[in-house]
């Protein structure tokens, strides 16, 4: 989970995830949305892959990236758990 939070800390990677939320894309399609080099996009995609936030699948000569919703749901569950537990005490502790 630490890799996922580290990957999410970068605004470029968060924007990549937002793009992939709309539809699966190739690295070239993703790169067209940014004013940074293709090697930089590839670096960001690799970090997202290592964090298991995105999956890649070869389609002919292209690699298509998609968002891994199960890891995103894990991260969201963690955040919601933190919010839900704040300040709560059980009846036994009172």
């Amino acid at each position: 989970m630490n890799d996922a939070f580290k990957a999410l800390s970068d605004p470029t990677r968060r924007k990549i995830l937002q793009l992939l939320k709309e539809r699966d894309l190739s690295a070239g399609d993703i790169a067209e949305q940014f004013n940074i080099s293709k090697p930089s996009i590839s670096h960001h995609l690799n970090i997202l892959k290592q964090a298991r936030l995105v999956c890649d699948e070869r389609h002919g000569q292209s690699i298509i990236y998609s968002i891994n919703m199960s890891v995103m749901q894990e991260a969201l569950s963690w955040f919601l758990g933190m919010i839900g537990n704040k300040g709560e005490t059980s009846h036994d502790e009172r």
Side-chain angles (χ1 to χ4, degrees), residues 21-38:
K21 180 182 163 224
E22 295 172 17
R23 65 184 176 102
D24 298 349
L25 296 167
S26 70
D29 292 335
I30 294 168
E32 289 175 3
Q33 305 297 315
F34 294 89
N35 268 340
I36 58 177
S37 69
K38 287 185 181 183

Side-chain angles (χ1 to χ4, degrees), residues 43-58:
H43 174 73
H44 285 294
L45 286 168
N46 282 329
I47 290 171
L48 289 168
K49 275 177 44 179
Q50 289 173 3
R52 300 179 319 136
L53 290 166
V54 299
C55 304
D56 62 342
E57 187 175 324
R58 183 167 288 281

Side-chain angles (χ1 to χ4, degrees), residues 10 13 18 34 50 55 63-64 74 85 89:
D10 183 87
R13 292 191 285 271
Q18 287 176 321
F34 294 89
Q50 289 173 3
C55 304
I63 296 176
I64 304 299
E74 262 182 65
N85 292 333
T89 58

Side-chain angles (χ1 to χ4, degrees), residues 42-92:
S42 181
H43 174 73
H44 285 294
L45 286 168
N46 282 329
I47 290 171
L48 289 168
K49 275 177 44 179
Q50 289 173 3
R52 300 179 319 136
L53 290 166
V54 299
C55 304
D56 62 342
E57 187 175 324
R58 183 167 288 281
H59 289 262
Q61 292 187 348
S62 297
I63 296 176
I64 304 299
Y65 292 88
S66 60
I67 197 164
N68 183 351
M69 289 307 291
S70 63
V71 174
M72 293 296 285
Q73 289 170 340
E74 262 182 65
L76 180 59
S77 292
W78 184 87
F79 276 114
L80 292 175
M82 291 298 293
I83 292 169
N85 292 333
K86 179 76 174 152
E88 290 182 7
T89 58
S90 71
H91 293 291
D92 295 338

